[in-house]
Amino acid sequence: MTVVLAIDAGTTGVRTLAVGDDGAPVTWSYREIPQHFPRPGWVEHDAEEILAATVATLGEVGQRLGAEGRSVAAIGITNQRETTVVWDRETGRPLHRAVVWQDRRTAARCDRLREEGVEPLVRRRTGLVLDPYFSATKLEWLLTQGGVPSGPRLAFGTVDSWLLWCLTGGPSGGVHATDPSNASRTLLFDIVDLDWSDELLETFSVPRSCLPAVRPSSARLGVTDPDVAAGLRVPVSGIAGDQQAALFGQACFEPGMAKNTYGTGSFVLVNLGPVLPDPVEGLLTTVAWSLGGTVSYAMEGAIFVTGAALQWLRDGLGIIADAAEAGPLASSVPDAGGVVVVPALTGLGSPHWDPYARGAILGVTRGRAGPTSSAPWSRPWRSRPATSSRPWPRPRAPVRPSCGSTAGRASWTCCASSRPTCSASPSAGPACSRRPRSGPPTWPGWPRACGRRRRRPPRAGPRRPTSSPPCPPGRSSGAAPSGGGPSIGPGAGPARPPPGETRARARARTGVRRPGPPRPARAPP
C-alpha cells in the first residue's frame, strides 16, 4: 500500500505525516524547533535546525513505513509562510538566522514607507499591508543592517523554498522554487499578474536573481536526494503555505467557505474563488492556491498569538511544564478569577495592524490557574475583532476549525466546553487536526461576526400599540429638551415620540430606553 507524506514545517516544530489511500493518517513524527529571541520583539530560527528536524521526522516515518511494507508515492510541503531564509547557493549554508514572521524589527521601516506613500501601491499589487509581518522588509534588513552580501550566490526563500532546495540536492542541483500561496506573502509578488513585481523589488532594493521560481501549488517540483532525505527518492508534488493548506484541507473548495486555524496563531481564511476583489480595510487578500491553471484567492484575518501564549507560559514564565497541562489546570477553577491576558507578544494583526502593541496580564493574584485559564480565552476575544471587520463575504457554509499545533490543541481544549458571548468561534472542535471532519461543525455566531444580524420573523397579527407618558408641562409634543440633549431631563418625563415611532427607533434617536406598555396578565390555565 502506498502513502503520501506531508511535511508540516510550522513555527514551533516540524511534523511529517503519512496519509493512506483512504485519507486516514497512518503514522507521524514530530520535532520541536528552538526559538531564538536576540532582542525584545525579534524572533529567529536556525534554518539548519529546521532542516535537521525535517530529516529526522522523515527518517522515523520512513522506517515505520518500511517495516509495514508501505511505499511512498509523493511528498507535499506546507510551512510557516513569511519567515525569511537566505543562504549561499554554492555552500548550502544559511547566511543569517531565519527572521520569523512574528519578528517586529522592521516596524520603523514600515512607518517610513507609509509616510512616503508606498502603502497604496502595496495594497494594489499584493493585497497586503505594510507590516513587519511580511518578508520584504525582513529581506531588505538582512541585505543592509544584517550584513548579508548581495550577489549571484545569494538565494532567498520562505521555509518551503529552503526545504525543497535542500531535499532535492542543495548545491548539487537543488530546485529553488515556491508556489503562489507562499510568494504572495512576501510583499514582492503581484497577485494580479502572478509574477514578481519589478516596482516592488526596486522599492525594497531586492535583486530578482535571488528569488525562487514560482510554480503551481500542485506540480512535480523535483525529486528528493536519498543522501539528504533519509534515504527517500520521492517526487515533491505539492507546496502550499500552512494557512492556505488548512483552507484546502478543511475542504473549503467553493467561494464563501471558510476555516479558522488554532495553532501558534489563529488565521481566518475565506475562499474568494478566481475573482480578485478590491482590498478591504483591516483584512488581507492573498492567493489561496494554483491548481490546474486556475488561481483561487482568499481573504484573511490574522491573529499572531493564540497557542503561542501557552508556549510562552511554559518557556517564558515557567507556569506550566507542558502545554498539555493547560487543560486540566484551567478546569480546576470555575473561571479565570478576573485575570485577563492580552497576548500581543508580537504586536496586533487584523484589523489593527499595530506592530508596537505589547502584551499584558491584568488582575493577577496568587496562584497559577488564573493566567493559565485566561490565556486560552484570549483566542476567542482576539478572533472577534478580526472576524468582525467589514465587509467579510457571507459564508456559504459554517466556518471549519482546525488545530495546527500542540499548544493550539491545548488552547482549544481549554475553551471548548464554553465560550464568551463575544466569541466568533465554532461551537464544536475538530475531530482530527490533520484532515477534515466527517461533517462541518456549526457556527451559530457567524452572522454577528460578519457584521450581520439575524432577522426575526415578522409577527403574526397586528402590532401591539405603543404608548408613552404624557408630555410634561411647558414642553410641546415631540419637542427635544433644551440644550439638544436626550429627551429625558431631570424631574421631567420623556417627550412624546413622533406618531408611529417604535421603541427601538426611539432608543436609536434619543439614546434612552423608553418603557413599553404593561403586559396583560395571563389567564389561569
mmCIF file of all heavy atoms in Angstrom, residues 190-217:
data_model
loop_
_atom_site.group_PDB
_atom_site.id
_atom_site.type_symbol
_atom_site.label_atom_id
_atom_site.label_comp_id
_atom_site.label_asym_id
_atom_site.label_seq_id
_atom_site.Cartn_x
_atom_site.Cartn_y
_atom_site.Cartn_z
ATOM 1 N N ASP A 190 3.127 40.226 -7.307
ATOM 2 C CA ASP A 190 1.919 40.844 -7.849
ATOM 3 C C ASP A 190 0.861 39.756 -8.006
ATOM 4 O O ASP A 190 0.997 38.869 -8.846
ATOM 5 C CB ASP A 190 2.225 41.502 -9.199
ATOM 6 C CG ASP A 190 1.087 42.369 -9.696
ATOM 7 O OD1 ASP A 190 -0.089 41.996 -9.499
ATOM 8 O OD2 ASP A 190 1.359 43.424 -10.312
ATOM 9 N N ILE A 191 -0.204 39.820 -7.194
ATOM 10 C CA ILE A 191 -1.197 38.754 -7.228
ATOM 11 C C ILE A 191 -2.168 38.896 -8.398
ATOM 12 O O ILE A 191 -3.009 38.015 -8.605
ATOM 13 C CB ILE A 191 -1.975 38.682 -5.896
ATOM 14 C CG1 ILE A 191 -2.742 39.980 -5.630
ATOM 15 C CG2 ILE A 191 -1.030 38.372 -4.753
ATOM 16 C CD1 ILE A 191 -3.636 39.908 -4.384
ATOM 17 N N VAL A 192 -2.054 39.985 -9.148
ATOM 18 C CA VAL A 192 -2.856 40.130 -10.367
ATOM 19 C C VAL A 192 -2.103 39.526 -11.549
ATOM 20 O O VAL A 192 -2.634 38.683 -12.276
ATOM 21 C CB VAL A 192 -3.189 41.613 -10.627
ATOM 22 C CG1 VAL A 192 -3.962 41.755 -11.936
ATOM 23 C CG2 VAL A 192 -3.984 42.196 -9.474
ATOM 24 N N ASP A 193 -0.836 39.934 -11.739
ATOM 25 C CA ASP A 193 -0.025 39.397 -12.833
ATOM 26 C C ASP A 193 0.602 38.058 -12.495
ATOM 27 O O ASP A 193 1.165 37.404 -13.379
ATOM 28 C CB ASP A 193 1.089 40.391 -13.187
ATOM 29 C CG ASP A 193 0.542 41.712 -13.707
ATOM 30 O OD1 ASP A 193 -0.599 41.715 -14.199
ATOM 31 O OD2 ASP A 193 1.251 42.735 -13.594
ATOM 32 N N LEU A 194 0.555 37.646 -11.223
ATOM 33 C CA LEU A 194 1.114 36.372 -10.761
ATOM 34 C C LEU A 194 2.599 36.265 -11.104
ATOM 35 O O LEU A 194 3.074 35.258 -11.637
ATOM 36 C CB LEU A 194 0.326 35.190 -11.343
ATOM 37 C CG LEU A 194 -1.166 35.155 -10.975
ATOM 38 C CD1 LEU A 194 -1.862 34.006 -11.668
ATOM 39 C CD2 LEU A 194 -1.344 35.068 -9.452
ATOM 40 N N ASP A 195 3.328 37.340 -10.801
ATOM 41 C CA ASP A 195 4.774 37.367 -11.035
ATOM 42 C C ASP A 195 5.390 38.346 -10.043
ATOM 43 O O ASP A 195 4.697 39.191 -9.456
ATOM 44 C CB ASP A 195 5.070 37.796 -12.470
ATOM 45 C CG ASP A 195 6.520 37.541 -12.872
ATOM 46 O OD1 ASP A 195 7.239 36.880 -12.089
ATOM 47 O OD2 ASP A 195 6.936 38.010 -13.945
ATOM 48 N N TRP A 196 6.707 38.226 -9.866
ATOM 49 C CA TRP A 196 7.409 39.181 -9.020
ATOM 50 C C TRP A 196 7.288 40.581 -9.620
ATOM 51 O O TRP A 196 7.432 40.770 -10.827
ATOM 52 C CB TRP A 196 8.874 38.791 -8.885
ATOM 53 C CG TRP A 196 9.093 37.420 -8.307
ATOM 54 C CD1 TRP A 196 9.602 36.334 -8.951
ATOM 55 C CD2 TRP A 196 8.818 36.995 -6.969
ATOM 56 N NE1 TRP A 196 9.661 35.249 -8.113
ATOM 57 C CE2 TRP A 196 9.191 35.631 -6.868
ATOM 58 C CE3 TRP A 196 8.307 37.621 -5.836
ATOM 59 C CZ2 TRP A 196 9.052 34.896 -5.706
ATOM 60 C CZ3 TRP A 196 8.168 36.880 -4.673
ATOM 61 C CH2 TRP A 196 8.538 35.542 -4.607
ATOM 62 N N SER A 197 7.010 41.562 -8.765
ATOM 63 C CA SER A 197 6.785 42.933 -9.218
ATOM 64 C C SER A 197 8.112 43.692 -9.257
ATOM 65 O O SER A 197 8.754 43.873 -8.215
ATOM 66 C CB SER A 197 5.796 43.640 -8.282
ATOM 67 O OG SER A 197 5.759 45.020 -8.526
ATOM 68 N N ASP A 198 8.519 44.157 -10.435
ATOM 69 C CA ASP A 198 9.748 44.940 -10.557
ATOM 70 C C ASP A 198 9.659 46.231 -9.757
ATOM 71 O O ASP A 198 10.656 46.697 -9.177
ATOM 72 C CB ASP A 198 10.032 45.257 -12.030
ATOM 73 C CG ASP A 198 10.429 44.016 -12.813
ATOM 74 O OD1 ASP A 198 11.105 43.149 -12.236
ATOM 75 O OD2 ASP A 198 10.056 43.908 -13.996
ATOM 76 N N GLU A 199 8.473 46.810 -9.706
ATOM 77 C CA GLU A 199 8.284 48.059 -8.963
ATOM 78 C C GLU A 199 8.516 47.851 -7.471
ATOM 79 O O GLU A 199 9.169 48.660 -6.802
ATOM 80 C CB GLU A 199 6.868 48.589 -9.223
ATOM 81 C CG GLU A 199 6.666 50.039 -8.841
ATOM 82 C CD GLU A 199 5.339 50.572 -9.332
ATOM 83 O OE1 GLU A 199 4.564 49.797 -9.932
ATOM 84 O OE2 GLU A 199 5.084 51.768 -9.107
ATOM 85 N N LEU A 200 8.006 46.740 -6.925
ATOM 86 C CA LEU A 200 8.202 46.460 -5.511
ATOM 87 C C LEU A 200 9.624 45.999 -5.219
ATOM 88 O O LEU A 200 10.177 46.318 -4.161
ATOM 89 C CB LEU A 200 7.194 45.407 -5.047
ATOM 90 C CG LEU A 200 5.727 45.863 -5.035
ATOM 91 C CD1 LEU A 200 4.799 44.708 -4.710
ATOM 92 C CD2 LEU A 200 5.523 47.005 -4.033
ATOM 93 N N LEU A 201 10.231 45.274 -6.147
ATOM 94 C CA LEU A 201 11.627 44.870 -5.965
ATOM 95 C C LEU A 201 12.531 46.095 -5.869
ATOM 96 O O LEU A 201 13.469 46.139 -5.060
ATOM 97 C CB LEU A 201 12.075 43.973 -7.118
ATOM 98 C CG LEU A 201 11.424 42.586 -7.208
ATOM 99 C CD1 LEU A 201 11.915 41.854 -8.450
ATOM 100 C CD2 LEU A 201 11.717 41.765 -5.960
ATOM 101 N N GLU A 202 12.242 47.106 -6.677
ATOM 102 C CA GLU A 202 13.016 48.344 -6.614
ATOM 103 C C GLU A 202 12.752 49.090 -5.307
ATOM 104 O O GLU A 202 13.672 49.650 -4.706
ATOM 105 C CB GLU A 202 12.669 49.225 -7.814
ATOM 106 C CG GLU A 202 13.454 50.520 -7.863
ATOM 107 C CD GLU A 202 13.098 51.374 -9.079
ATOM 108 O OE1 GLU A 202 12.279 50.917 -9.907
ATOM 109 O OE2 GLU A 202 13.626 52.491 -9.178
ATOM 110 N N THR A 203 11.501 49.084 -4.848
ATOM 111 C CA THR A 203 11.158 49.777 -3.611
ATOM 112 C C THR A 203 11.922 49.203 -2.423
ATOM 113 O O THR A 203 12.411 49.949 -1.562
ATOM 114 C CB THR A 203 9.642 49.682 -3.362
ATOM 115 O OG1 THR A 203 8.939 50.313 -4.441
ATOM 116 C CG2 THR A 203 9.259 50.353 -2.047
ATOM 117 N N PHE A 204 12.039 47.882 -2.383
ATOM 118 C CA PHE A 204 12.688 47.231 -1.244
ATOM 119 C C PHE A 204 14.143 46.849 -1.534
ATOM 120 O O PHE A 204 14.767 46.178 -0.703
ATOM 121 C CB PHE A 204 11.897 45.992 -0.844
ATOM 122 C CG PHE A 204 10.526 46.286 -0.310
ATOM 123 C CD1 PHE A 204 9.399 46.145 -1.118
ATOM 124 C CD2 PHE A 204 10.364 46.739 0.982
ATOM 125 C CE1 PHE A 204 8.137 46.422 -0.633
ATOM 126 C CE2 PHE A 204 9.102 47.025 1.481
ATOM 127 C CZ PHE A 204 7.979 46.867 0.667
ATOM 128 N N SER A 205 14.666 47.259 -2.694
ATOM 129 C CA SER A 205 16.076 47.026 -3.058
ATOM 130 C C SER A 205 16.430 45.544 -3.004
ATOM 131 O O SER A 205 17.438 45.128 -2.428
ATOM 132 C CB SER A 205 17.008 47.822 -2.130
ATOM 133 O OG SER A 205 16.701 49.197 -2.173
ATOM 134 N N VAL A 206 15.588 44.722 -3.615
ATOM 135 C CA VAL A 206 15.785 43.278 -3.636
ATOM 136 C C VAL A 206 16.156 42.849 -5.062
ATOM 137 O O VAL A 206 15.407 43.147 -6.005
ATOM 138 C CB VAL A 206 14.515 42.535 -3.178
ATOM 139 C CG1 VAL A 206 14.675 41.027 -3.350
ATOM 140 C CG2 VAL A 206 14.192 42.868 -1.728
ATOM 141 N N PRO A 207 17.290 42.157 -5.272
ATOM 142 C CA PRO A 207 17.651 41.702 -6.609
ATOM 143 C C PRO A 207 16.772 40.518 -7.045
ATOM 144 O O PRO A 207 16.534 39.587 -6.275
ATOM 145 C CB PRO A 207 19.110 41.271 -6.463
ATOM 146 C CG PRO A 207 19.262 40.934 -5.019
ATOM 147 C CD PRO A 207 18.333 41.847 -4.266
ATOM 148 N N ARG A 208 16.289 40.575 -8.283
ATOM 149 C CA ARG A 208 15.431 39.499 -8.784
ATOM 150 C C ARG A 208 16.175 38.171 -8.839
ATOM 151 O O ARG A 208 15.563 37.098 -8.726
ATOM 152 C CB ARG A 208 14.906 39.873 -10.176
ATOM 153 C CG ARG A 208 14.032 38.815 -10.821
ATOM 154 C CD ARG A 208 13.548 39.252 -12.190
ATOM 155 N NE ARG A 208 12.383 40.117 -12.092
ATOM 156 C CZ ARG A 208 11.138 39.681 -12.147
ATOM 157 N NH1 ARG A 208 10.895 38.385 -12.259
ATOM 158 N NH2 ARG A 208 10.125 40.518 -12.083
ATOM 159 N N SER A 209 17.506 38.194 -8.985
ATOM 160 C CA SER A 209 18.270 36.961 -9.148
ATOM 161 C C SER A 209 18.215 36.058 -7.919
ATOM 162 O O SER A 209 18.464 34.853 -8.020
ATOM 163 C CB SER A 209 19.733 37.300 -9.451
ATOM 164 O OG SER A 209 20.310 38.064 -8.387
ATOM 165 N N CYS A 210 17.889 36.601 -6.742
ATOM 166 C CA CYS A 210 17.870 35.779 -5.534
ATOM 167 C C CYS A 210 16.528 35.112 -5.296
ATOM 168 O O CYS A 210 16.392 34.290 -4.380
ATOM 169 C CB CYS A 210 18.252 36.609 -4.312
ATOM 170 S SG CYS A 210 16.981 37.776 -3.761
ATOM 171 N N LEU A 211 15.524 35.433 -6.111
ATOM 172 C CA LEU A 211 14.168 34.959 -5.855
ATOM 173 C C LEU A 211 13.939 33.563 -6.430
ATOM 174 O O LEU A 211 14.510 33.196 -7.460
ATOM 175 C CB LEU A 211 13.148 35.923 -6.459
ATOM 176 C CG LEU A 211 13.209 37.374 -5.975
ATOM 177 C CD1 LEU A 211 12.210 38.226 -6.745
ATOM 178 C CD2 LEU A 211 12.944 37.449 -4.479
ATOM 179 N N PRO A 212 13.076 32.773 -5.808
ATOM 180 C CA PRO A 212 12.756 31.447 -6.349
ATOM 181 C C PRO A 212 11.789 31.538 -7.512
ATOM 182 O O PRO A 212 11.040 32.520 -7.652
ATOM 183 C CB PRO A 212 12.110 30.737 -5.159
ATOM 184 C CG PRO A 212 11.500 31.848 -4.358
ATOM 185 C CD PRO A 212 12.412 33.028 -4.512
ATOM 186 N N ALA A 213 11.802 30.504 -8.352
ATOM 187 C CA ALA A 213 10.795 30.396 -9.414
ATOM 188 C C ALA A 213 9.442 30.084 -8.781
ATOM 189 O O ALA A 213 9.368 29.396 -7.761
ATOM 190 C CB ALA A 213 11.184 29.299 -10.394
ATOM 191 N N VAL A 214 8.375 30.604 -9.388
ATOM 192 C CA VAL A 214 7.026 30.393 -8.860
ATOM 193 C C VAL A 214 6.346 29.319 -9.708
ATOM 194 O O VAL A 214 6.116 29.508 -10.903
ATOM 195 C CB VAL A 214 6.208 31.700 -8.866
ATOM 196 C CG1 VAL A 214 4.819 31.455 -8.298
ATOM 197 C CG2 VAL A 214 6.921 32.779 -8.065
ATOM 198 N N ARG A 215 6.048 28.190 -9.096
ATOM 199 C CA ARG A 215 5.410 27.041 -9.751
ATOM 200 C C ARG A 215 3.995 26.858 -9.216
ATOM 201 O O ARG A 215 3.662 27.386 -8.141
ATOM 202 C CB ARG A 215 6.227 25.773 -9.493
ATOM 203 C CG ARG A 215 7.710 25.879 -9.851
ATOM 204 C CD ARG A 215 7.944 25.642 -11.322
ATOM 205 N NE ARG A 215 9.366 25.644 -11.638
ATOM 206 C CZ ARG A 215 10.164 24.592 -11.506
ATOM 207 N NH1 ARG A 215 9.679 23.454 -11.042
ATOM 208 N NH2 ARG A 215 11.445 24.664 -11.838
ATOM 209 N N PRO A 216 3.158 26.080 -9.906
ATOM 210 C CA PRO A 216 1.818 25.806 -9.370
ATOM 211 C C PRO A 216 1.887 25.087 -8.026
ATOM 212 O O PRO A 216 2.866 24.411 -7.700
ATOM 213 C CB PRO A 216 1.182 24.913 -10.444
ATOM 214 C CG PRO A 216 1.931 25.231 -11.699
ATOM 215 C CD PRO A 216 3.331 25.542 -11.278
ATOM 216 N N SER A 217 0.831 25.211 -7.241
ATOM 217 C CA SER A 217 0.808 24.583 -5.918
ATOM 218 C C SER A 217 0.845 23.071 -6.010
ATOM 219 O O SER A 217 1.382 22.402 -5.112
ATOM 220 C CB SER A 217 -0.455 25.020 -5.154
ATOM 221 O OG SER A 217 -0.510 26.424 -5.038
#
